[in-house]
Amino acid sequence: MSVTLVDDAAITKSATRNIRKTVLSNGLLVLTESMPHVRSVSMGAWVGSGSRDETKEVNGISHFVEHMVFKGTTSRSAQQIAREVDTIGGNLDAFTGKETVCFNIKVLDENVAPALDVLSDLVLHPTFAPEDVEREKGVILEEIKMDEDNPDYLVHEVWTQNFWKGDALGRPILGTAKTVSGFDQQTLLNFYAGQFAPRNMVFSAAGNLEHDAFVAQVEREFGSLAASGAGVPEKVAAPRATPHITLKRKKSLEQVQLCLGMPAPPVNDSRRYVVYLMNTMLGGGMSSRLFQTIREDRGLAYSIYSEMNPFRDTGSLCVYAGTSVDKTQEVLRLTLQELRRLKEETVSEVELKRAKDQLKSNMVIGMESSGSRMANLARQQMYFGRFSGVDEIMHEIEAVSTADVQELAQELFKPETMALTLLGNLGTMKIEREDLAC
C-alpha cells in the first residue's frame, strides 16, 4: 500500500515541538512528535467516536469492545498478549470516553517494532469469542455495581444523566445492566466494523522516533485496514441542557454529595482559556476561592472543587463537594456566593496572574512525558485540526483579561440554567429554584 504525504510541510516545527503527519492511502492519519531527549516511545490508536455516538440500545458497547480486544486475537491469546508486553517492559492500556476510544502502549525506543505488532493485532484482529463475551459481561456488570457504590462517581453520573436528559451524552460510558447483558458476538462485530474504519481513526506517537521510519512500520501493520467509511458516526446537533434539581436519597451514606453545574463552552471555543482560568480561580486548587472559603475558613467539607467538562459541541462547568447533611445548604449558599462574586466583582490582577501561572505550569508539566504528548497530538487533531505550541498557548493564556473573566461569569452563572444533584441521607431537605439565585 502506498503512502500519501499530506500537509506535512505545514506542520509547526519549533524549538519545542517537531510534529509531522502522514495520511496512508486507506485514509488512516499518522501523527508523530519527535522527542530525541527521551528513551521512550508512546503510541496510540484513537477511534474518533465514543459513548455519545452509540444508540440507546447498545449503550456501553464502545467500552465493552475496549475490554474485549484484550481477550484474544486471531493469532494471540490474552495470556500471550500479557506475556509479550511484559517481556518488553511495556505499559499497555486503553480507555473509553464520551467521544473517543484509545488503545495505547509505552515502551523503550528499542522495542517499538514488537510493541506496534501487539498493539495493531489488538486493534485489527480481535475475535470476540462468544465464551469471552459472556465472561466479560460479568466483569463489566461488577464494574457498574462498583461505580454505583462510589458516591463521588454516582452523584456526577446522576447529574450528567439528568443534565443531558434524553441525549446520548448523558448516558453512562459503561452502559447499563440491561444493555450490557444483551451484547453478543455478532453485535460486537457489527459495531466494530462500523467504528474501526481508517477515516474514523488517528494513530499518534511521541518519543525518540523518526517519522518516516515509523510511518513505514505503521503502514505494514495498518495498511490492510479497509478504506471503508461506512458506519463512521454522523455527528449530531449539540444537545440541549436541562436545568434540574435532583435530590436522590440514599440512607446508607454518611455524607451528602453535592454537584452543581451549568452549560459551558465546547472544547474548541475561542474563550476556552478564559473559562479554564475562571475554573482555576473558582475551585481548581488549594488557593481557589471555594477551597479557601468552604474548607479552610469554615471547615465545612474535606473535598471541594470545580471542573470543566468540554466536548466537541458543548460543555459543562461543575462544582463538587462532600459534606454532612446539616452543612449542605450552607455549602450550597457559599458556593453560589462565590459565583455571584465572580459576576459582580472584577477579579484582581494578582489573583488572575496566580491562576495564569498555575494553568501554564500544569500545561507545561503535563506535556513532559511521551505519553502526554501522544495524547495531546491526537486530541488537537480531532478537535482543532492543527497543533498549538507551548509558546502559542502561553500567549493565549496571558491575553486573558480580568474583564474577560467577569463577562464570561455573567454569561454562564444564571440560576435558570443551573442543575443541582444532591445524593445522601437527605431526610426532609427541599431545594427550590429560587435557592440557586446568584
Side-chain angles (χ1 to χ4, degrees), residues 316-376:
S316 64
L317 172 63
C318 293
V319 173
Y320 164 83
T323 189
S324 58
V325 65
D326 59 312
K327 298 174 182 174
T328 299
Q329 289 175 298
E330 178 71 356
V331 169
L332 178 60
R333 185 187 69 79
L334 290 170
T335 297
L336 292 164
Q337 179 178 291
E338 292 303 333
L339 299 184
R340 186 183 304 112
R341 281 183 61 209
L342 284 168
K343 289 169 62 175
E344 296 178 351
E345 303 171 15
T346 306
V347 299
S348 70
E349 292 288 353
V350 172
E351 185 180 13
L352 181 58
K353 183 181 186 305
R354 186 167 62 242
K356 287 179 178 181
D357 291 343
Q358 182 182 344
L359 185 60
K360 288 189 295 185
S361 177
N362 289 343
M363 286 187 167
V364 172
I365 291 172
M367 290 284 285
E368 288 190 341
S369 72
S370 61
S372 58
R373 292 283 180 112
M374 177 274 293
N376 175 266

